[in-house]
Amino acid sequence: MSVVKSSVLALAMLAAAPVFAAVTINIDAAKPGAVINKNVYGQFAEHLGTGVYEGMWVGPKSDIPNTRGWRNDVVGALKELHVPLVRWPGGCFADVYHWRDGIGPQDKRPHNVRSNGSVEEINAVGTHEFFDLIDMLGADAYINGNVGTGSVQEMSDWVEYMTADGGSPLARLRAQNGREKPFKVAYFGIGNELWGCGGNMKPEYYAGLYNNYWTFLRAPEQHKPKMIAAGGDISWTDVLSRDLKDRTTGISIHQYTVPTGNWNIKGKTLGFEEGEWISTLAAASKMDQIIKDHVAVLDKNDPEKKIGLMIDEWGTWYDDADTSSSALFQQNSLRDALVAALSFHIFHEHADRVPLTTIAQMVNVLQAMILTDKEKMVLTPTYYTFQMYVPFQDAKSLPLAIKDNTSYTLGTTTIPGVSASAARAKDGKLYLALVNTDPSKAVDVAVDVAGTKVKGAAGKVLTSAAMDAHNTFQNPQVIKPAAFSARAAGGKLSIKVPAKAVMVVALEE
Ligand code: AHR
C-alpha cells in the first residue's frame, strides 16, 4: 500500500474513533494581548555531534549540493520555517570556543578538540560562515560568547570584530576576510550554563563577572547587540535580575523535557508505552509553572518588565540519544510534535515576558527539525509543528477560555485533554491552534469568537495511528500534516480534533 493511501486510511480510522463532545473554546478577538515575538520560534545550532558539520555544513567541495558549503536541501527546508533567530556556537561548546580559530582561510584554521576532549573541531564554520547561513535563512544572529575559558579581552575583540565600523583594526581584519560591512548581531550571550559546564560558578560570582565583561563589550550604537545573561534556577534569576539591572535585556533558562523526570534513566525515544506518552506531555506542561516562578521573581526585581526570560534551550531529551561522542542524535516522533505545540501555547501565554526561545536543536541533535544521513535528509514531526505555527510569529495573542475541557488520565497522572492558543496574525487572519493529548479519543471542540459568526476553519492537522510515528531515511513520509477544513452549521463551528493530534486552522470570520 502506498504511503499516501495508508495515511489517508489511518486518518479515516482516527475519525471513526470515539468522540467526546463538550469542549467549548471562547476567543475574545476584541481584546488582543501581547505580541508573540517571532523569536519565540528561534533555533539553536551547536557544534555538537553532526548538528553543524554534516547536518548543515558539508563544505564547498562536497558532492552533496551546497551553497558555499551549506547544504541546499537543509537550508531550503529551514527557509520554510521562517527561522527568525539562530543561537550559535553553543551551548557548552560556547565556553571552549575561541573565535579567532574560525576566521581567515579555511585550510589554515587550527583543528582542536571540543569540550569532552575527544571530538575534533575543524573550525571550518566560523563567524563568516555562520553569518552566511543566517543571511540565507533571513534569520537574526544570537551569538554566545565564551566566559568559561575565554577572557574579557577575547570577547570584547569578537564583538568589535563583528560590529565595528571601518576605523577599527578588527573591522579592517574583518574586511580583509571578506566582509566590509559590520555583521548584525541581534543578541549576544555572555557565557552558557555557568552553574555547570560553563565553570561551576555561584550566581553572585557570575553576576560580578558579567558586569565586568559587559563593561568592555563595546559596539557602535546602531550595531549594539542586546545582551543576554546566562541564568539557571530561580536563585540565579533572582541574583541576576537584582545585580545586572539595565545591563541585560534577558536572563536565560534551560528546560528540557525528560519522560521519566530522572536524568539517569530518561525514557525511550521510540517504542515507549502509553505511560511515557502521558509523562512526557505532563513534563512538558511543567514549563508553565517554571515560567511563572521565574516571572514572579522578575516582577519583584524588574517591575518595569525590561528583562525578558529567554528560554534558549528547551525540548525533549531521551535515553538513547547517542552519547558515545556527545552526539545527542535522537529520533523524533508524533510525541515530540505535541511537546513542541504544548510549549508554544505556554510561550504564547507568557508573551509579555518571554520574547525569545531557541529549541535544542536545529539539526541532528536532541529535538531536531531535520535529521540527515550523508546525502539523505528527513523532516521530523517537530519540523512540521514549527511549520504549522509560522502564522503565530509576531501575531497578537488573543485571550481564550476553554470551557468543559476533557481530561486525559492514565494511572495517577491527569492532564488537560485539549490545549489551545489563538492569535491575530500579521496577515489579518485569526488563527487557532489545538492539541488533543489523548492518544485514543478524538474530541469535538465548539469554537466561539465573541461578537463574530465564524463561518468555517481551514488549515492542517498532524497525527498518526502510532504514538511514536516517525519519519526515517527509508520511509520519510510516514507522518506529515494533512489538510483540514470544517464549516459552521446552524451558526456554530465545531471542529473534530483527532486523538493525539496538533492542529492549526485559520478561522473564516
Ligand atoms: O543542548 C545540549 C547541551 O545541553 C548544551 O550544550 C548545554 O548548554 C546543555 O546542557
Side-chain angles (χ1 to χ4, degrees):
M1 197 188 302
S2 75
V3 172
V4 176
K5 272 192 193 149
S6 69
S7 56
V8 168
L9 184 65
L11 277 174
M13 284 159 57
L14 286 160
V19 172
F20 286 75
V23 181
T24 302
I25 291 185
N26 295 300
I27 302 169
D28 194 347
K31 293 200 187 113
V35 169
I36 300 161
N37 195 313
K38 65 179 176 177
N39 290 332
V40 161
Y41 288 85
Q43 300 280 338
F44 173 31
E46 181 168 19
H47 290 222
L48 176 59
T50 52
V52 172
Y53 300 109
E54 293 180 39
M56 285 193 279
W57 169 269
V58 286
K61 294 188 188 138
S62 171
D63 291 339
I64 298 174
N66 69 82
T67 303
R68 297 178 295 281
W70 294 104
R71 292 176 70 132
N72 293 344
D73 54 354
V74 171
V75 170
L78 289 171
K79 277 186 177 171
E80 300 279 308
L81 301 186
H82 298 225
V83 175
L85 181 84
V86 183
R87 177 178 182 232
W88 174 87
C92 294
F93 178 74
D95 279 302
V96 295
Y97 181 63
H98 300 285
W99 68 273
R100 280 192 170 84
D101 293 345
I103 57 168
Q106 279 172 2
D107 58 353
K108 301 242 162 42
R109 296 185 192 172
H111 288 202
N112 36 37
V113 287
R114 296 192 188 157
S115 31
N116 72 354
S118 60
V119 178
E120 189 180 24
E121 171 56 49
I122 60 171
N123 285 306
V125 172
T127 306
H128 293 253
E129 290 77 15
F130 172 68
F131 278 97
D132 191 21
L133 169 70
I134 61 159
D135 280 354
M136 283 192 273
L137 295 178
D140 270 341
Y142 169 8
I143 303 282
N144 211 122
N146 176 352
V147 169
T149 63
S151 66
V152 177
Q153 185 68 59
E154 185 186 15
M155 195 185 284
S156 163
D157 287 351
W158 197 12
V159 171
E160 181 178 329
Y161 182 84
M162 292 186 285
T163 63
D165 289 312
S168 123
L170 285 166
R172 284 198 289 276
L173 179 61
R174 185 186 69 226
Q176 269 169 37
N177 288 329
R179 172 79 180 202
E180 188 81 36
K181 275 194 320 187
F183 293 115
K184 181 183 165 212
V185 185
Y187 290 92
F188 191 90
I190 301 185
N192 170 73
E193 291 191 358
L194 281 306
W195 47 265
C197 67
N200 285 304
M201 300 171 190
K202 296 273 183 286
E204 293 78 6
Y205 179 74
Y206 169 66
L209 273 185
Y210 178 99
N211 285 331
N212 183 201
Y213 273 79
W214 179 88
T215 308
F216 296 97
L217 300 185
R218 300 194 189 104
E221 203 48 46
Q222 68 278 22
H223 307 311
K224 257 194 192 350
K226 292 183 175 145
M227 297 296 171
I228 296 181
D233 63 15
I234 289 287
S235 67
W236 281 70
T237 297
D238 193 22
V239 171
L240 299 182
S241 56
R242 267 189 285 118
D243 289 3
L244 310 186
K245 287 289 175 201
D246 289 342
R247 290 181 289 276
T248 188
T249 52
I251 296 170
S252 72
I253 61 167
H254 295 171
Q255 178 59 30
Y256 286 99
T257 294
V258 174
T260 61
N262 174 356
W263 279 90
N264 297 322
I265 317 159
K266 295 186 265 302
K268 287 179 171 177
T269 306
L270 302 174
F272 47 83
E273 303 287 327
E274 193 179 331
E276 280 189 16
W277 167 272
I278 194 168
S279 69
T280 305
L281 301 187
S285 305
K286 285 191 182 146
M287 181 73 88
D288 184 45
Q289 193 54 49
I290 289 162
I291 293 176
K292 283 181 179 143
D293 293 345
H294 284 267
V295 165
V297 171
L298 288 179
D299 284 347
K300 171 174 66 85
N301 295 340
D302 170 46
E304 294 126 332
K305 292 188 190 270
K306 286 187 180 161
I307 302 175
L309 188 66
M310 316 312 216
I311 305 163
D312 62 10
E313 288 186 29
W314 65 273
T316 53
W317 196 322
Y318 305 124
D319 260 343
D320 33 355
D322 175 3
T323 49
S324 55
S325 55
S326 287
L328 300 184
F329 180 97
Q330 70 186 24
Q331 249 298 356
N332 190 296
S333 72
L334 175 59
R335 180 178 55 169
D336 296 83
L338 269 80
V339 166
L342 293 173
S343 305
F344 294 154
H345 296 183
I346 296 167
F347 300 152
H348 297 173
E349 290 244 336
H350 296 282
D352 62 329
R353 267 289 187 193
V354 180
L356 177 161
T357 90
T358 55
I359 189 170
Q361 299 195 5
M362 192 149 72
V363 178
N364 285 345
V365 175
L366 297 173
Q367 190 177 345
M369 311 299 112
I370 291 174
L371 303 176
T372 66
D373 180 16
K374 302 187 187 69
E375 78 291 350
K376 295 192 193 112
M377 174 187 88
V378 80
L379 305 178
T380 67
T382 298
Y383 173 93
Y384 290 121
T385 308
F386 270 76
Q387 191 182 42
M388 288 161 66
Y389 278 75
V390 165
F392 284 88
Q393 293 191 18
D394 279 342
K396 280 187 191 141
S397 59
L398 294 175
L400 162 158
I402 307 182
K403 218 173 88 199
D404 301 325
N405 200 352
T406 51
S407 51
Y408 160 47
T409 300
L410 187 77
T412 54
T413 310
T414 296
I415 59 174
V418 173
S419 165
S421 186
R424 177 76 64 188
K426 287 198 299 182
D427 63 8
K429 292 185 189 160
L430 199 166
Y431 285 86
L432 173 65
L434 294 161
V435 173
N436 180 6
T437 60
D438 195 308
S440 30
K441 292 176 191 152
V443 62
D444 269 343
V445 175
V447 180
D448 181 69
V449 181
T452 312
K453 276 214 160 36
V454 183
K455 295 185 211 116
K460 293 270 166 72
V461 59
L462 184 70
T463 186
S464 191
M467 290 182 291
D468 68 348
H470 59 284
N471 297 327
T472 63
F473 298 111
Q474 295 71 34
N475 229 339
Q477 310 253 13
V478 172
I479 169 165
K480 60 180 190 173
F484 175 88
S485 64
R487 300 298 310 162
K492 294 235 171 284
L493 175 69
S494 179
I495 294 176
K496 182 179 290 186
V497 189
K500 47 177 152 22
V502 177
M503 181 183 280
V504 176
V505 287
L507 300 180
E508 202 186 313
E509 294 168 89

